[in-house]
Amino acid sequence: MTHIVATVGPACSSREVLGDLLKAGVDVFRFTASKTPVAELASLAEEVRGLAGDVGLPVELVLDLPGAKLRLTNEAYLDLADVSELVLRFDDSPSDLTGPVPSLGVSGLGPGDPCPQVGDLVVIGDGEDALRIVGQTAGSCRAVPLTTGVVGIRRGISFPGARDAGGAQEFTPYDLAGLRAMTGSPFDAVVLSFTESADLVERARAVLRESVREGPLPSVVAKIETAAGAAAADEIARSADGILLGRGDLLLDTGPVEFHAACCRVLDAARAIGCPVLVGTQLLTSLAVGWLPHRSELATVSELLADGVAGLMLAEETAGATDPVRAVTLLTGLRDRYAPTTVRTPLFPSHP
């Protein structure tokens, strides 16, 4: 069975929309901890669990920990169409979007980590927008936008020479606290971002064993989103309870030419040993701006369904789109056509 995973965000945080998503076919809700405290997400997850019980539908709840990643600190959207120049400050300071030259703070830069250089390209999010560095001072850079999109809240960034987010393979204090907070939470599984080894999965499981004194352990899902993670997909698949193929950061790390090969390595490794694999990032995002989805999206999603992937994860399609139910309804229709099933099975069975 291919499960439909919906990411919870501003567009679908009301009881009414969450209920509509359940009825439209959502099997799993993903709660991202990159922008919202874990305790707040756990409270919302409890509400979703109760809502699913009210409508008589099964649901699984997943907490996605952010890992180490450079992120903007803006708490409001920034329309680049109105910006000719902006400042990036790498000191974790708040962003200031007022005035003729907006200032965007960047969090996650460690001591000694390099800032971008003049001429470097800074990519925002999953590649939706880009900036060119035109000036540099101590701890900050001036940049000009190369695109005219709208920068979302606390989006990730990448640039040449940036610290490898997955390289250290150490839990951030925030992620470690999130793992420990799984105790007594409603979440069925936890996602580890930037997984590049089986060791990270085992260390996460050890933290969970220390924290969860009674009852089943939550499942551990390894998000593979770097070239190193794809190269180690065999060992990761043998250790994890599931794999989330994070295509957004993976493309940024591999580049466009090697991207498809990396995706195939992950899918093949998971399929070889029967490890459930979920695929996410930009499955049906064209619905946000158009009535019909892009033909390439339809082809990719239909092929993944026919191949029997364990789950397809909607992100912006449900978290930020104007009509999240529409994307789920289409995905359910595609599933009924290309991966029909009469038995609804759990994605993450309980672990003793």
Side-chain angles (χ1 to χ4, degrees):
M1 173 184 173
T2 298
H3 296 75
I4 295 177
V5 185
T7 300
V8 177
C12 65
S13 57
S14 70
R15 285 182 60 86
E16 179 182 3
V17 178
L18 289 167
D20 288 343
L21 290 175
L22 281 166
K23 295 171 186 175
V26 171
D27 307 292
V28 182
F29 280 103
R30 167 182 172 247
F31 298 80
T32 57
S34 60
K35 303 172 186 177
T36 307
V38 173
E40 186 176 329
L41 294 175
S43 178
L44 181 57
E46 288 280 11
E47 186 175 345
V48 173
R49 180 79 72 191
L51 184 60
D54 292 342
V55 298
L57 290 171
V59 69
E60 292 177 87
L61 309 173
V62 175
L63 176 67
D64 193 340
L65 298 175
K69 184 175 182 176
L70 299 180
R71 290 187 179 275
L72 301 173
T73 63
N74 56 312
E75 299 296 338
Y77 292 92
L78 176 64
D79 190 345
L80 294 178
D82 302 325
V83 175
S84 59
E85 184 173 291
L86 56 80
V87 173
L88 293 174
R89 296 199 317 274
F90 294 87
D91 55 2
D92 201 16
S93 59
S95 297
D96 183 2
L97 307 185
T98 62
V101 181
S103 174
L104 287 167
V106 178
S107 64
L109 202 70
D113 288 340
C115 292
Q117 304 295 307
V118 172
D120 280 350
L121 186 72
V122 176
V123 177
I124 300 175
D126 292 329
E128 301 89 346
D129 289 294
L131 313 170
R132 179 74 68 188
I133 302 300
V134 296
Q136 184 183 33
T137 59
S140 69
C141 298
R142 290 185 297 110
V144 294
L146 302 181
T147 54
T148 56
V150 177
V151 177
I153 296 171
R154 299 195 65 190
R155 298 292 281 164
I157 67 168
S158 62
F159 55 85
R163 179 167 51 95
D164 179 3
Q169 290 297 279
E170 297 292 339
F171 294 121
T172 66
Y174 184 82
D175 279 11
L176 193 57
L179 284 169
R180 290 169 176 157
M182 293 290 289
T183 304
S185 78
F187 298 112
D188 301 288
V190 60
V191 177
L192 309 177
S193 292
F194 301 106
T195 304
E196 293 183 346
S197 69
D199 178 65
L200 189 74
V201 175
E202 294 305 325
R203 284 190 284 121
R205 202 168 271 132
V207 174
L208 292 172
R209 289 195 189 100
E210 292 175 1
S211 304
V212 181
R213 301 298 183 183
E214 298 181 359
L217 283 178
S219 296
V220 179
V221 180
K223 190 191 295 186
I224 295 181
E225 47 192 337
T226 64
D234 291 314
E235 68 167 86
I236 295 171
R238 286 192 292 269
S239 179
D241 299 305
I243 286 174
L244 172 54
L245 177 55
R247 302 187 306 167
D249 280 294
L250 183 60
L251 173 59
L252 297 177
D253 195 55
T254 63
V257 174
E258 294 301 323
F259 170 71
H260 178 67
C263 288
C264 288
R265 279 196 294 273
V266 175
L267 293 170
D268 290 345
R271 186 181 297 113
I273 66 166
C275 179
V277 59
L278 294 80
V279 179
T281 312
Q282 295 182 342
L283 294 176
L284 294 169
T285 48
S286 62
L287 290 180
V289 295
W291 184 252
L292 287 176
H294 289 167
R295 281 67 175 167
S296 57
E297 291 177 339
L298 282 175
T300 296
V301 169
S302 299
E303 288 170 2
L304 289 168
L305 285 165
D307 287 343
V309 296
L312 292 174
M313 187 190 79
L314 301 174
E316 284 300 312
E317 297 95 331
T318 54
T322 56
D323 190 355
V325 178
R326 185 163 164 254
V328 173
T329 301
L330 173 58
L331 190 52
T332 300
L334 292 171
R335 178 174 65 177
D336 292 344
R337 173 64 177 83
Y338 297 105
T341 181
T342 57
V343 180
R344 193 165 183 169
T345 57
L347 180 59
F348 303 114
S350 297
H351 294 268

